[in-house]
Each structure stands twice: as C-alpha cells, then as structure tokens.
Amino acid sequence: DQQVKQNSPSLSVQEGRISILNCDYTNSMFDYFLWYKKYPAEGPTFLISISSIKDKNEDGRFTVFLNKSAKHLSLHIVPSQPGDSAVYFCAASAYNQGGKLIFGQGTELSVKP
Amino acid sequence: DTAVSQTPKYLVTQMGNDKSIKCEQNLGHDTMYWYKQDSKKFLKIMFSYNNKELIINETVPNRFSPKSPDKAHLNLHINSLELGDSAVYFCASSQAGVTNTQYFGPGTRLTVL
C-alpha cells in the first residue's frame, strides 16, 4: 500500500525551461510535505517543504504547490539548470506518527544543455 | 563539518556474519532515524530514536538492532546477515516539533555475498 506516489520515473527538460515534478498521496492525515534531491552515491538533500496549512511555498528557483483536495503536490524548478539533474523524492509525514517520513519512489530529472 | 556522517560507506560481507553501521550527527538534533533503500530505490523507515529512546520500530527482523549511546549517535547492528539485507542504509536526524525536516547522511551500501 503505497501512500506516496510519484508516477513519472523520469523527466527530461531543456536548460532554462520549467521542470514540474508531481507527487500524489492517499493519507489525509499527512500534514507536512518535503522534497529531497539525491545525487548518485549521496544521501538525500533537503530541498523545500510545505505545511498542509499552506498551498504554496517558494525558495529561489524552487516552488512547491499543494492541492489538498486533490491530494497532490508538485515541485516547480524555474529556470532549470544542468546541475538540477538528480533524482527527486517527495515525502510526507503526519504529526502523530513520530516523525516517520513516507517517501515516493522518486523521479529522475535530466536537464539538457 | 559534516552534519550527518555514517561509517563505513561501503560494506561487503558474507552471509551469516554480524556487522555494524555507525551514525553521528553534529546538528544538535534530538531525533535520529535509520532508513533502508532497497533495489527498487524505495526509501523506507526502519527505526527512530528520540533522546536515546526508541519511538518507531517498523516491521524489521529482530536481527536488526539499533543502539543509541547518546542523542548524537545511532548505530545499527545486524546479526546473521542474509542476501536480502543488501541495500543502502541511510541515517537521518531532525529536531522534534511541528515540522519534521530530516537531514540525511551519505548512506552505507551493504552487500551480502
């Protein structure tokens, strides 16, 4: 039973364009959502997060949108850069579950020059 | 000044052996975690400790035993290693609170032959 899903295993984008990574979840108790970026042979690096009381959070080139009614969140990267090429994981947690993060299976982003 | 460190980075061993993976964080966090990334790239939580107290124990075989000598360290001992234990193990830490941003170590790739 996969509570967090990233249905696109890969995404290819031209440098300078927008990258949109999507994530769906099923558990309505989730109240905090995060995006992590992972390079090969490294640990996941925290990128940006959003609380369920918000619908948008922005940090530089990265913006996360949350649509609670659709149980959907997305990460927008504008403009995309070759250094953004990595695997992006969506994760979710519920306040009453001891901090456990539930991860999606990841989307591999490739930004081509 | 690495925030979350793990040793060793690579571990190759024979079936039936006992091994340990160490984790240390210098972020002053009070909660630490172990995650397993399997061959399908799913990241799943195994354990969580808060101030040396076990708070999350997912369905993990008894051969896996976490030990937290202090809140900056969380080690993972694995007894009687099996082929299916081959995976990448990530340690993470966070500060308990409303938000739960976890910071990950670089991972330990365990290969059981």
Side-chain angles (χ1 to χ4, degrees), chain A residues 2 31-32 34 36 38 41-46 49 89 93 95 97-105, chain B residues 9-10 33 35 37 41-43 45 48 55-56 58 90 97-107:
Chain A
Q2 208 178 324
D31 56 7
Y32 189 60
L34 309 90
Y36 284 85
K38 187 182 181 303
E42 294 185 13
T45 302
F46 170 69
S49 62
F89 289 95
S93 69
Y95 181 68
Q97 291 190 6
K100 176 169 66 175
L101 286 182
I102 307 296
F103 281 86
Q105 61 270 56
Chain B
K9 188 161 176 65
Y10 299 96
Y33 311 81
Y35 286 83
Q37 186 179 35
K41 307 300 181 187
F42 282 102
L43 267 161
I45 190 160
S48 168
I55 56 172
I56 294 176
E58 293 292 290
F90 290 100
V98 175
T99 62
N100 180 33
T101 300
Q102 297 181 19
Y103 296 87
F104 285 78

Side-chain angles (χ1 to χ4, degrees), chain B residues 26-68:
Chain B
N26 63 5
L27 296 167
H29 290 163
D30 57 9
T31 307
M32 295 184 72
Y33 311 81
W34 277 109
Y35 286 83
K36 178 180 179 180
Q37 186 179 35
D38 61 22
S39 57
K40 293 183 179 179
K41 307 300 181 187
F42 282 102
L43 267 161
K44 291 186 180 177
I45 190 160
M46 301 172 68
F47 302 103
S48 168
Y49 268 75
N50 178 269
N51 281 320
K52 303 195 296 175
E53 181 181 345
L54 182 66
I55 56 172
I56 294 176
N57 185 348
E58 293 292 290
T59 310
V60 177
N62 291 339
R63 300 180 294 102
F64 289 80
S65 55
K67 285 189 172 52
S68 181

Side-chain angles (χ1 to χ4, degrees), chain A residues 81-113:
Chain A
Q81 299 173 354
D84 296 330
S85 297
V87 178
Y88 289 78
F89 289 95
C90 166
S93 69
Y95 181 68
N96 62 353
Q97 291 190 6
K100 176 169 66 175
L101 286 182
I102 307 296
F103 281 86
Q105 61 270 56
T107 296
E108 184 168 9
L109 173 65
S110 175
V111 180
K112 301 193 182 305

Side-chain angles (χ1 to χ4, degrees), chain B residues 58-85:
Chain B
E58 293 292 290
T59 310
V60 177
N62 291 339
R63 300 180 294 102
F64 289 80
S65 55
K67 285 189 172 52
S68 181
D70 55 61
K71 74 174 191 176
H73 296 83
L74 180 62
N75 304 322
L76 184 65
H77 302 277
I78 316 171
N79 296 324
S80 304
L81 278 155
E82 300 177 358
L83 293 176
D85 298 332

